[in-house]
Structure formats: structure tokens, C-alpha cells
Amino acid sequence: DRASEKPRTPIWMGLIVFVMGVVGGWILHEAAKQNAIPIDAQQWSSDDNGDGIDDVTNYARVGAAFSYKTEIDRNFDGNVDDRFLYNPNGTTTNRESDDDFDGFFESRTRYRDGNAAVTTMDMDRDGEVNRTVYFVRGIPDREEILNDQSGRVVATLYYEKLRLSRSEHDLNGDGFAETVRTYDEFGEITSTETRQRR
């Protein structure tokens, strides 16, 4: 009879399996809180124009206190054309925008401490950046316009208090911005200077 009895599992093995399950669950919970695991726990939407179709959708992950992503249909055509990404504290980190509503996200903005820092734009959908806007505390400071073929900066526009104040242009494409212009508050050119390469 003793030979036919099945050996019992020691109680300590059950305790080990239980502890492993608790630790594993805690690790998954903490990783999800840090947005390391892309598991959507919930989403909620709103209809801004009252047409019965949701225009704004927020996504949250398991255990997170804030959403990690918001998608917006700005022109109410049923397609997402604005996307915001957030860190675990709910602060904006990135934005992707389809500003001409053609289905292609041509603008990408990186944020620093919740303020826009740099925006890059691919205006002709070829995968190359055509324009780059740099911000200081979320306010446009300067914009660089690039030549698609050479990849060189052909114009730099400088802003003061949201107004275009000065620009530098490489009109002959040699890599040196020889033409400098200044502008008044109406955007009219007030002076043009041609510089010599030293």
C-alpha cells in the first residue's frame, strides 16, 4: 500500500510558487505604471461637435494614473490628425500632426518640460525633413528651411515676440548664407545686406 501512495508535494514548493506569482504580478504592475508595457487598460472618448462620432480618444495603461496617448480628429472627417504622447506623470513628450488633413503626419514635435522644443516637418512626404522650428520655452525662436536635394539649410528665419525679425538666405546654394534681411512688425523687408564669406 505504501508503494502505491503518491508522494505529496512539499508545502515549501507551494509557497515558492505563490511568492513567485506575487513578485511577478508586482513587477508587471510597476512596469505598466512606468509605461514600459503597452497594455491598454482603458480608453475614453468625447464627441466635440455633437455628430455622434468620437473626435478625441485618450488611452491609459494598466496601473497608470494618467493617459499615455491622446488622438484627435480636428476636422471631424473620421481620421486621426493629431496625436499627443505623455510621460507617466501626464506631461506631453511628443506630438504628431497632419496639418493639411491628407492622412500623412508631416509634423513631429518634441517637448521638454511640457513645452514644445523642436518641430520637424516633412512637407513633401519623402521621409526627409524640409523645415525645423526651434522653440525657447514653447515660443518659436528660429526656423530652418532645408534643400531636399543637398540637405543644406538655405534659409534661417529668426523670430522675436512671435514676429519675423530677421532672415539669412543662401541664395546660390554654396552653403553660406550671404543675404541677410530685416523685417518690420508688418512683415515687410526693411533692409537687405549681402555678406562676404571670410
Side-chain angles (χ1 to χ4, degrees), residues 11-13 28 40 50-51 61 63 79 86 91 110 116-117 121 127 132 158 161 165 179-180:
I11 192 167
W12 58 267
M13 287 190 72
L28 287 173
D40 292 343
D51 64 353
R61 288 182 175 142
N79 298 312
Y86 312 102
T91 304
R110 292 196 315 271
M121 289 172 268
T132 303
Y158 297 89
K161 297 180 180 178
S165 62
T179 303
V180 179

Side-chain angles (χ1 to χ4, degrees), residues 7 10 36 46 50 105 130 142 151 156 174 193:
S46 62
F105 286 77
N130 310 114
R142 75 182 190 278
T156 303
D174 66 350
E193 173 193 353

Side-chain angles (χ1 to χ4, degrees), residues 161-176:
K161 297 180 180 178
L162 300 177
R163 291 199 305 239
L164 176 63
S165 62
R166 184 169 61 92
S167 63
E168 299 176 355
H169 302 266
D170 176 16
L171 299 179
N172 57 14
D174 66 350
F176 174 70

Side-chain angles (χ1 to χ4, degrees), residues 40-176:
D40 292 343
Q42 61 179 334
Q43 67 183 59
W44 59 96
S45 303
S46 62
D47 174 15
D48 287 353
N49 64 342
D51 64 353
I53 301 174
D54 291 330
D55 311 307
V56 180
T57 303
N58 295 281
Y59 299 86
R61 288 182 175 142
V62 173
F66 303 96
S67 60
Y68 72 91
K69 178 174 66 174
T70 299
E71 293 183 336
I72 304 172
D73 174 14
R74 286 183 291 164
N75 64 338
F76 311 118
D77 66 349
N79 298 312
V80 173
D81 39 55
D82 222 351
R83 182 178 294 120
F84 291 87
L85 301 178
Y86 312 102
N87 67 14
N89 297 321
T91 304
T92 304
T93 59
N94 294 84
R95 178 185 181 188
E96 300 175 349
S97 301
D98 174 16
D99 294 320
D100 55 10
F101 308 118
D102 66 350
F104 178 74
F105 286 77
E106 68 277 345
S107 299
R108 303 183 187 283
T109 302
R110 292 196 315 271
Y111 286 73
R112 185 180 299 115
D113 300 325
N115 290 318
V118 180
T119 294
T120 58
M121 289 172 268
D122 177 9
M123 307 303 293
D124 53 10
R125 304 173 64 157
D126 66 350
E128 301 293 332
V129 173
N130 310 114
R131 290 174 177 256
T132 303
V133 181
Y134 298 91
F135 299 82
V136 175
R137 291 181 290 277
I139 299 171
D141 180 62
R142 75 182 190 278
E143 178 179 1
E144 293 179 348
I145 302 173
L146 290 82
N147 181 300
D148 249 2
Q149 282 70 42
S150 67
R152 290 177 172 172
V153 176
V154 295
T156 303
L157 313 179
Y158 297 89
Y159 298 91
E160 291 181 9
K161 297 180 180 178
L162 300 177
R163 291 199 305 239
L164 176 63
S165 62
R166 184 169 61 92
S167 63
E168 299 176 355
H169 302 266
D170 176 16
L171 299 179
N172 57 14
D174 66 350
F176 174 70

